[in-house]
Amino acid sequence: MTRPGKVVCVGRNYREHAKEMGNEVPTTPLVFLKPPSCVVASGDAIVLPNGIGRVDFEGEIGLVIGKRLRKASPAECAAGIRGVVAVNDVSARDLQKSDPQWWRAKGYDTFGPIGPERAGTPDLSALEVVSRVNGVERQRGHSRDMIFPIADLLAFITSAITLEPGDVVATGTPEGVGPLKAGDEVEIEVVGWSTVRNRVVADA
Ligand code: ZN
């Protein structure tokens, strides 16, 4: 697969998820990056590192950027989207608390499964994401329930960093996150657009 130049993520973008993690609802978007080196494709393994505690799935709606966006308006950002991907923002919860930066918690190798891109211009207010573990539905979220709408998020990101063609922006996870264990199969579907399915394995 082609790795994106960068993967920009947004934390706590659904009220119920902020609440389930014991966090306040943010007043400005909580933006962070996953390194491109953590990206894997559908069908690849998610490797659980030894001795790091709880590792969660996070199903997210991902947008693929189609043109260079710098200090762009929400409308310009919406027009600059070229496609949609399903993203699993795999997260090491204990390290997320103990490390001041989330470089490991969000950045371990294989912690960035991204599904195949479907090209097109989505209705940004009508995207739905569903997560399943071993075939059982665990999350269902809708873009209309986001705290910060997608076009506003993109504009906020481009106020500081330029988005380039091929970059992926993951827009936060709804409530229902939970831990993964070796042997699980986790599937994130952006309904009608993209699915990423991965087997979880223990580190060798
Ligand atoms: Zn996330």
Side-chain angles (χ1 to χ4, degrees), residues 4 33 49 51 66-67 81 95 123 164 166 191 204:
L33 295 161
K67 63 180 171 202
I81 292 168
L95 293 178
D123 177 351
E164 307 276 4
V191 178

Side-chain angles (χ1 to χ4, degrees), residues 6-10 61-65 85 87 153-154 157 163 167-171:
K6 58 183 171 293
V7 181
V8 185
C9 298
V10 179
I61 297 161
L63 291 317
V64 185
I65 301 304
V85 287
V87 176
L153 278 178
L154 297 180
I157 292 164
L163 290 172
D167 286 352
V168 169
V169 177
T171 54

Side-chain angles (χ1 to χ4, degrees), residues 8-165:
V8 185
C9 298
V10 179
R12 299 169 199 164
N13 198 27
Y14 292 81
R15 271 179 193 80
E16 295 304 314
H17 172 63
K19 206 189 293 180
E20 77 179 344
M21 302 307 287
N23 294 310
E24 298 292 321
V25 171
T27 52
T28 52
L30 192 173
V31 178
F32 61 95
L33 295 161
K34 287 174 91 77
S37 49
C38 79
V39 173
V40 292
S42 191
D44 291 342
I46 296 168
V47 180
L48 295 178
N50 289 316
I52 65 161
R54 176 172 162 175
V55 175
D56 283 6
F57 61 90
E58 291 192 354
E60 307 200 6
I61 297 161
L63 291 317
V64 185
I65 301 304
K67 63 180 171 202
R68 193 165 184 272
L69 296 167
R70 180 170 180 272
K71 299 189 192 306
S73 69
E76 289 166 338
C77 289
I81 292 168
R82 77 169 193 208
V84 175
V85 287
V87 176
N88 189 348
D89 176 21
V90 179
S91 303
R93 290 292 173 222
D94 299 334
L95 293 178
Q96 202 176 355
K97 294 192 186 86
S98 62
D99 286 348
Q101 302 262 333
W102 294 349
W103 68 288
R104 287 190 294 179
K106 300 284 192 175
Y108 266 105
D109 291 350
T110 77
F111 275 23
I114 296 181
E117 176 183 350
R118 185 185 149 196
T121 308
D123 177 351
L124 296 178
S125 64
L127 289 168
E128 189 171 34
V129 62
V130 183
S131 304
R132 299 178 191 88
V133 179
N134 304 323
V136 177
E137 183 174 312
R138 301 286 296 275
Q139 292 184 291
R140 184 175 286 267
H142 199 285
S143 59
R144 67 171 171 257
D145 295 323
M146 291 179 181
I147 296 166
F148 302 103
I150 290 170
D152 292 7
L153 278 178
L154 297 180
F156 179 76
I157 292 164
T158 72
S159 71
I161 62 176
T162 301
L163 290 172
E164 307 276 4

